Amino acid sequence: MAESSKMVQQDENKLRRALWEEANRIIIDATYSGRSHQSMGVRWERIDRWTGVPATVLGAVGSAAAGISAIADGDVWLTATLALTAAGLTAARSFLKSDEIAKAHGLKGDRLIGLKSDVVRFQQVDLSSSLTLESLQDRLADLSQRRNALRESGPQHIPRSIYEATKRSIERGESDYENDHLWMESPY
């Protein structure tokens, strides 16, 4: 009887370890992907500023110059050049939709980091609780489905350079703290 109980406990520990390891894979994936999307969002915010601010300033200056030119019979070429430059920057900003892309990457990054937090809770709290193995498997399956849904939703593509920079950042410990869950060993 004691031998049978020991076997059941070993099987349960083996399954808990497998759940812990799968949760760890989701944590690592969500961390790297989330931070990469946040970095990509920052890049697109810069692009938005570099096209948006000059377009706004040139549009205002061009409008003022056009008014002054019309009143004072000034230089039409300067006014036309400012107006065309402002129109070109505005068109580029509209075409690139840099503000929308920045928000989409930032939001996806935040959702992935939120998923990571939920999986860390699963890994560090739920697995140690009195929840049944079936409940734990269901919970991890739900978390895995969330990850897969985020993978399939846009924006999907991260340039290799952004991924590599994110990887270096994480490896340097920029998001590190004591007992970082990325590098913890399974207690099972």
Side-chain angles (χ1 to χ4, degrees):
M1 189 67 135
E3 185 68 29
S4 174
S5 177
K6 187 176 179 180
M7 292 286 286
V8 168
Q9 185 61 44
Q10 286 176 343
D11 288 345
E12 183 175 319
N13 284 346
K14 188 175 180 181
L15 183 55
R16 283 183 188 271
R17 180 177 179 80
L19 292 170
W20 192 95
E21 289 172 354
E22 178 58 21
N24 208 51
R25 283 188 284 277
I26 295 171
I27 289 168
I28 292 168
D29 184 18
T31 299
Y32 281 79
S33 297
R35 291 276 307 275
S36 293
H37 278 285
Q38 288 174 333
S39 295
M40 198 65 195
V42 168
R43 176 186 271 187
W44 277 101
E45 284 174 356
R46 280 191 217 118
I47 292 169
D48 187 50
R49 278 194 300 274
W50 278 101
T51 57
V53 171
T56 303
V57 170
L58 286 173
V61 170
S63 297
I68 292 170
S69 179
I71 293 171
D73 206 24
D75 188 1
V76 178
W77 287 105
L78 175 63
T79 304
T81 301
L82 288 173
L84 287 173
T85 304
L89 285 170
T90 301
R93 187 168 185 244
S94 295
F95 175 76
L96 292 174
K97 298 180 179 171
S98 51
D99 58 332
E100 293 174 25
I101 294 171
K103 287 176 189 172
H105 276 289
L107 181 60
K108 186 168 184 174
D110 291 346
R111 286 181 177 159
L112 284 159
I113 297 301
L115 170 65
K116 177 198 77 165
S117 296
D118 292 345
V119 178
V120 167
R121 183 190 182 289
F122 168 82
Q123 190 183 55
Q124 294 181 358
V125 176
D126 294 351
L127 277 174
S128 299
S129 73
S130 61
L131 289 172
T132 66
L133 289 175
E134 186 177 332
S135 297
L136 292 170
Q137 288 174 307
D138 290 344
R139 175 88 170 112
L140 186 59
D142 291 343
L143 292 166
S144 184
Q145 286 175 348
R146 274 180 57 197
R147 178 203 42 201
N148 293 341
L150 283 168
R151 275 186 181 164
E152 294 169 3
S153 68
Q156 294 179 330
H157 304 289
I158 298 291
R160 185 80 179 162
S161 61
I162 293 287
Y163 171 77
E164 292 296 335
T166 299
K167 183 177 176 183
R168 284 189 305 274
S169 168
I170 291 170
E171 288 171 353
R172 277 194 310 264
E174 292 180 12
S175 67
D176 195 25
Y177 55 91
E178 192 175 331
N179 296 320
D180 191 335
H181 52 272
L182 286 177
W183 317 118
M184 289 178 66
E185 291 295 321
S186 170
Y188 303 102

